[in-house]
């Protein structure tokens, strides 16, 4: 949520794409450096983390699976906020933010499903079951693919922006289903164990590297998102210039 508020403020205060590009160009080198440092620390802590007394070394899939799940949901939440910016406030960068977040969120959701299947095989004895959490995450991936398809196939930028924004808001209904599926239905997934009343149930030896890896992946998300937004703004500028040149050419 902090990133959403930060980017929302940044977009509001720097609505001019040129100003936004200037800020992004200054931020990206620092974000890349912070990302690398966090991953080095996180991976070192993860490799030295003890095995679980029941799951053994397979528990270390958690260091990739859990951050991917968080960021898959976070990406769609951010797209929903950007969708409001497109439909309600008509912010010039809101659609760019939504379009840039879609492939990143889809990638993290896909990683979540793949690592979850690999983790489920030794734990549950199968790669896939139609568990409420698994099914709702699969629905999230399909929603991401639908938004990406809208941006790829639509011919009118304004129409594609509105269609993607509406789908982002409608798809937000799936987020609480993912979050509370373990409470609402009898699933194979365990209830919340990191952020819960009474404190985490995970041993600090595993919790600390998990949180570091989650932070590293979050900064990676921010870095990739800003870089893709920059590229999308530049791409749209090039398209506008080509359209202007085509209109200036005499028949």
């Amino acid at each position: 949520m902090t990133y959403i508020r930060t980017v929302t403020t940044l977009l509001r205060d720097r609505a001019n794409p040129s100003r936004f590009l200037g800020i992004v160009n200054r931020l990206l080198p620092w974000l890349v450096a912070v990302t690398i440092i966090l991953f080095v620390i996180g991976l070192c802590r993860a490799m030295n983390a003890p095995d679980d007394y029941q799951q053994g070394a397979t528990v270390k899939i958690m260091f990739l699976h859990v951050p991917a799940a968080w960021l898959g949901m976070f990406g769609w939440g951010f797209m929903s906020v950007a969708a409001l910016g497109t439909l309600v406030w008509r912010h010039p960068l809101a659609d760019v933010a939504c379009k840039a977040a879609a492939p990143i969120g889809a990638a993290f959701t896909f990683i979540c499903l793949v690592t979850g299947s690999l983790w489920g095989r030794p734990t549950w004895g199968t790669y896939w079951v139609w568990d409420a959490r698994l099914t709702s995450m699969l629905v999230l991936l399909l929603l991401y693919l639908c938004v990406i398809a809208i941006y790829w196939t639509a011919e009118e930028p304004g129409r594609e922006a509105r269609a993607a924004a509406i789908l982002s808001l409608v798809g937000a209904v799936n987020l609480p289903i993912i979050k509370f599926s373990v409470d609402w239905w009898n699933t194979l997934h365990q209830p919340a164990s990191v952020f819960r009343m009474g404190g985490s149930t995970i041993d600090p030896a595993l919790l600390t590297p998990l949180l570091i890896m989650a932070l590293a992946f979050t900064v990676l998300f921010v870095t990739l998102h800003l870089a893709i937004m920059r590229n999308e703004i530049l791409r749209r500028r090039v398209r506008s210039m080509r359209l202007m040149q085509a209109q200036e050419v005499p028949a």
Side-chain angles (χ1 to χ4, degrees), residues 13 24 26 33 44 58 70 93 126 137 151 153 192 229 237-238:
D13 296 342
V24 170
R26 290 193 294 269
C44 290
T58 58
W70 287 345
L93 295 179
T126 180
M137 284 300 295
Y151 281 116
T153 58
M229 282 189 67
R237 284 185 173 181
V238 171

Side-chain angles (χ1 to χ4, degrees), residues 39-137:
F39 268 111
V40 170
I41 298 173
L43 289 173
C44 290
R45 296 294 297 268
M47 288 187 294
N48 293 322
D51 295 342
D52 183 73
Y53 76 101
Q54 287 183 323
Q55 302 180 46
T58 58
V59 74
K60 294 184 180 181
I61 298 177
M62 170 179 64
F63 300 135
L64 176 58
H65 174 73
V66 174
W70 287 345
L71 290 172
M73 296 174 63
F74 171 82
W76 196 272
F78 178 82
M79 288 168 57
S80 300
V81 175
L84 291 175
T86 299
L87 297 174
V88 179
W89 299 297
R90 308 289 183 181
H91 197 286
L93 295 179
D95 179 55
V96 176
C98 183
K99 185 176 182 179
I104 308 174
F108 277 114
T109 304
F110 179 75
I111 292 172
C112 169
L113 290 170
V114 171
T115 54
S117 297
L118 295 175
W119 196 3
R121 182 65 178 87
T123 305
W124 300 334
T126 180
Y127 289 107
W128 181 268
V129 293
W130 291 102
D131 177 273
R133 174 66 62 82
L134 289 173
T135 304
S136 53
M137 284 300 295

Side-chain angles (χ1 to χ4, degrees), residues 2-245:
T2 301
Y3 176 60
I4 292 178
R5 289 195 297 269
T6 301
V7 173
T8 301
T9 302
L10 185 62
L11 294 179
R12 185 181 64 248
D13 296 342
R14 297 293 182 267
N16 186 303
S18 297
R19 291 183 180 179
F20 182 80
L21 289 176
I23 295 173
V24 170
N25 287 333
R26 290 193 294 269
L27 282 179
L28 280 179
W30 293 98
L31 287 173
V32 170
V34 172
T35 301
I36 294 173
I37 292 172
L38 286 173
F39 268 111
V40 170
I41 298 173
L43 289 173
C44 290
R45 296 294 297 268
M47 288 187 294
N48 293 322
D51 295 342
D52 183 73
Y53 76 101
Q54 287 183 323
Q55 302 180 46
T58 58
V59 74
K60 294 184 180 181
I61 298 177
M62 170 179 64
F63 300 135
L64 176 58
H65 174 73
V66 174
W70 287 345
L71 290 172
M73 296 174 63
F74 171 82
W76 196 272
F78 178 82
M79 288 168 57
S80 300
V81 175
L84 291 175
T86 299
L87 297 174
V88 179
W89 299 297
R90 308 289 183 181
H91 197 286
L93 295 179
D95 179 55
V96 176
C98 183
K99 185 176 182 179
I104 308 174
F108 277 114
T109 304
F110 179 75
I111 292 172
C112 169
L113 290 170
V114 171
T115 54
S117 297
L118 295 175
W119 196 3
R121 182 65 178 87
T123 305
W124 300 334
T126 180
Y127 289 107
W128 181 268
V129 293
W130 291 102
D131 177 273
R133 174 66 62 82
L134 289 173
T135 304
S136 53
M137 284 300 295
L138 178 61
V139 170
L140 180 63
L141 177 60
L142 296 177
L143 289 170
Y144 270 123
L145 295 179
C146 288
V147 171
I148 294 172
I150 288 173
Y151 281 116
W152 280 359
T153 58
E155 297 180 357
E156 298 181 20
R159 182 173 297 178
E160 74 179 23
R162 290 190 296 272
I166 292 172
L167 180 56
S168 297
L169 291 175
V170 173
V173 175
N174 190 43
L175 296 182
I177 295 176
I178 296 173
K179 171 62 177 175
F180 298 108
S181 58
V182 295
D183 301 317
W184 294 345
W185 295 284
N186 184 21
T187 71
L188 294 175
H189 279 83
Q190 66 182 28
S193 55
V194 178
F195 301 108
R196 57 186 295 274
M197 296 296 293
S200 174
T201 60
I202 302 177
D203 187 273
L206 295 172
L207 179 61
T208 300
L210 173 61
L211 294 178
I212 296 175
M213 289 296 291
L215 180 59
F217 276 109
T218 301
V219 179
L220 175 63
F221 184 105
V222 174
T223 304
L224 293 175
H225 185 250
L226 292 178
I228 295 175
M229 282 189 67
R230 178 186 64 181
N231 293 342
E232 178 63 17
I233 292 172
L234 295 176
R235 188 190 69 82
R236 294 186 181 192
R237 284 185 173 181
V238 171
R239 183 180 62 186
S240 298
M241 293 175 61
R242 289 177 176 174
L243 289 174
M244 292 176 60
Q245 291 175 353

